[in-house]
Amino acid sequence: MSAIANPVVQVSAGERLRDWLAPLRRVFVLTGAGASTESGIPDYRDADGQWKRSPPVTYQAFTGDARVNARYWARSFIGWPRIAQAQPNAVHRALATWEPAGRLSALLTQNVDGLHQRAGSREVIDLHGRLDGVVCLGCGEHSARADLQERLTSMNPDWAGLDARTAPDGDADLDGHDFTTFRVAACVQCGGMLKPDVVFFGENVPRVRSQQAFAALQASDALLVIGSSLMVYSGFRFARMASEAGLPVAILNRGRTRADELAQLKIEADAGETLQVALA
């Protein structure tokens, strides 16, 4: 009588992550652009961690070149409505549902879309700021991006009917236009230069924000990265700090990340479906 081979038991991505999370009490979660792609907001990099498009505008170019500034605001004018109307997806909802259980020490996001908050998460640290806010570089006045959109519409009626593909920075791939004709709005308080309340490339993350995130990580016993290649140092440093502190690291991301060698668990699967199982 021949022996019958034991069937191979397939363990889903969600079950693998659930087993990894099981013994952990306080998990620090870091999310990146991949967490918002199902909401219609494109990510930055391909599976190898390389740029899919030209790198985002730098702080130095935005503030030092009027043509770059006008180009940014023209593209943002077209792209902003889609960011404002984007809805949370399964990733955001799963994390928001998990938060009341008390096992989420902090939710640090590299995204600037505010979708975690719209899904109901409260313990969110917006590492790179939020697109729904605007700050004056002259007097520091903060205002709503929605209000600025109304001003830009009245100042640039000929641009209002244009359409273009959404880009990751909350703007749009609007090419082939004379951006020098786009009228850029100034601060209503002092006439200073306005900037989205986000951290541009070439600009430092505010120290108080970094310190808040560092403290939360130190009070955690693991790090879970979701939808980030961690190619930008401002995000990667948290994986490195966790590893140096002896904290286990898990990564849920399609494609290579800068911290793959630091991770005890690497899962390449649909983040929403995986989290719905793992955090249930």
Side-chain angles (χ1 to χ4, degrees), residues 36-37 40-41 48 61 65 69 82 122 145 147 171 197 203 217 221 245 247 249 264 276 278:
S36 291
T37 54
I41 301 174
D48 293 322
D65 189 329
N69 189 282
R82 291 177 183 165
R122 296 185 177 183
R145 179 64 180 82
D147 294 340
D171 57 2
D197 197 9
E203 188 178 12
L217 181 60
D221 52 17
L247 303 182
V249 176
Q264 285 70 49
Q276 285 177 318

Side-chain angles (χ1 to χ4, degrees), residues 104-171:
L104 179 63
S105 61
L107 174 52
L108 176 69
T109 184
Q110 295 174 289
N111 300 337
V112 294
D113 50 43
L115 289 176
H116 283 301
Q117 289 89 339
R118 289 189 223 174
S121 290
R122 296 185 177 183
E123 298 298 324
V124 183
I125 303 172
D126 296 295
L127 184 64
H128 296 148
R130 292 267 296 271
L131 274 174
D132 56 5
V134 179
V135 62
C136 173
L137 298 181
C139 67
E141 177 77 10
H142 285 77
S143 57
R145 179 64 180 82
D147 294 340
L148 177 60
Q149 188 73 5
E150 293 184 4
R151 293 179 59 201
L152 292 174
T153 299
S154 64
M155 295 169 63
N156 300 278
D158 293 340
W159 292 72
L162 299 179
D163 190 23
R165 185 178 61 179
T166 303
D169 303 315
D171 57 2

Side-chain angles (χ1 to χ4, degrees), residues 123-250:
E123 298 298 324
V124 183
I125 303 172
D126 296 295
L127 184 64
H128 296 148
R130 292 267 296 271
L131 274 174
D132 56 5
V134 179
V135 62
C136 173
L137 298 181
C139 67
E141 177 77 10
H142 285 77
S143 57
R145 179 64 180 82
D147 294 340
L148 177 60
Q149 188 73 5
E150 293 184 4
R151 293 179 59 201
L152 292 174
T153 299
S154 64
M155 295 169 63
N156 300 278
D158 293 340
W159 292 72
L162 299 179
D163 190 23
R165 185 178 61 179
T166 303
D169 303 315
D171 57 2
D173 289 329
L174 188 66
D175 296 315
H177 293 271
D178 181 7
F179 296 107
T180 61
T181 67
F182 188 84
R183 298 180 61 197
V184 177
C187 175
V188 296
Q189 299 295 327
C190 73
M193 178 181 290
L194 295 177
K195 171 184 167 293
D197 197 9
V198 300
V199 178
F200 278 29
F201 276 74
E203 188 178 12
N204 294 323
V205 173
R207 181 178 295 274
V208 64
R209 202 175 296 163
S210 297
Q211 291 177 337
Q212 181 186 5
F214 294 153
L217 181 60
Q218 290 172 351
S220 305
D221 52 17
L223 168 66
L224 171 61
V225 178
I226 303 169
S228 177
S229 66
L230 299 175
M231 293 299 174
V232 177
Y233 182 73
S234 61
F236 170 71
R237 60 181 170 173
F238 290 95
R240 192 178 71 175
M241 289 175 63
S243 179
E244 291 175 349
L247 303 182
V249 176

Side-chain angles (χ1 to χ4, degrees), residues 238-262:
F238 290 95
R240 192 178 71 175
M241 289 175 63
S243 179
E244 291 175 349
L247 303 182
V249 176
I251 300 175
L252 173 56
N253 184 71
R254 291 191 184 276
R256 185 173 70 89
T257 84
R258 190 175 178 181
D260 282 352
E261 64 181 18
L262 304 179

